[in-house]
Amino acid sequence: MLGIGKTSGCPVPARKGRRERLCALKLTAASAPSTHSKEKMPPYTNYHAQRSYPMPDEPFCTELNAEQRALKEKEKGSWTQLSHDEKVALYRLQFHETFAEMNRRSNEWKTVMGCVFFFFGFTALMIWWQRIYVFPQKPITLTDEWKAQQLQRILDMKGNPVQGLASRWDYEKKEWKK
Amino acid sequence: MSERAIDLMKPQMQGLLAKHLRFHIVGAFPASLGVAAFCKFAVAKPRKKAYVDFYRNYDSMGDFEEMKKAGIFQNAK
């Protein structure tokens, strides 16, 4: 089944390259020469397929060769007379990519996550450096001694004795409940 | 490119919002009831029990004496 004639020109066809080659190809021949990808030049309009804009006004291929023009003439008649391959060719003239193609997955998320983690690490290093060379001394209320005295005062006052802090302290044994 | 029109299933063309609403409204009731039940039995009940147990044999004056001995009051030494 020929479908749209895919060339075997480039070993790894770029997305754009394939579309453009398809546009310039004859409908049925699989041996048409491959044109190198042209960016945003005629006969292609400037758009990329978007899910949010599924049916643009301009067709994807604006300059048509003779065969394609003949096909467009045939399209004006009854569509039941178009073969499957012709319908596909007309679709390709009109649209940049099918929905399946435009929605395909990619591996971009790996790059994104990699960069995110890289910058997490870089930020951590920066903050570490700042901790050593920039931060001022801790205020007295954050020293261990003060914090211990503060905790003892809260326990003496029986703060939250039902379900909270003082409920976890064993007043007889003077230690935290197990 | 081997999919023909005959081989693909036609997707649902109409009534998408209705279907979405029905699924979610019908699902919202058991979901919210479940969450409420969970909150009641995992949070509210134990908390009420904890308070009841705490105050059943609570000696407020004894507690006050302990605090006074610990020295936290300014006016009751």
Side-chain angles (χ1 to χ4, degrees), chain A residues 31-138:
Chain A
S31 58
S34 62
T35 59
H36 288 292
S37 57
K38 300 177 268 189
E39 316 242 319
K40 298 179 191 173
M41 298 285 279
Y44 319 107
T45 49
N46 271 359
Y47 77 81
H48 290 269
Q50 288 173 280
R51 254 194 321 222
S52 56
Y53 189 38
M55 296 175 71
D57 298 328
E58 281 183 62
F60 182 58
C61 289
T62 43
E63 290 178 25
L64 310 172
N65 65 25
E67 268 200 59
Q68 291 165 336
R69 263 176 275 141
L71 186 59
K72 287 303 250 184
E73 287 301 318
K74 190 172 176 192
E75 191 192 11
K76 293 178 185 171
S78 169
W79 286 345
T80 52
Q81 294 179 341
L82 293 170
S83 77
H84 177 77
D85 294 339
E86 285 171 335
K87 288 180 195 166
V88 174
L90 282 168
Y91 182 93
R92 290 294 178 189
L93 287 177
Q94 186 71 21
F95 297 106
H96 176 211
E97 282 181 319
T98 68
F99 269 72
E101 285 161 9
M102 92 169 75
N103 291 339
R104 69 182 174 280
R105 319 175 279 190
S106 76
N107 281 331
E108 188 187 358
W109 68 273
K110 299 178 190 171
T111 312
V112 170
M113 290 313 284
C115 291
V116 165
F117 292 140
F118 173 78
F119 281 107
F120 277 178
F122 180 68
T123 308
L125 289 172
M126 284 210 326
I127 292 176
W128 187 10
W129 183 87
Q130 287 174 344
R131 170 71 185 79
I132 298 173
Y133 289 106
V134 178
F135 283 12
Q137 219 188 10
K138 266 197 221 176

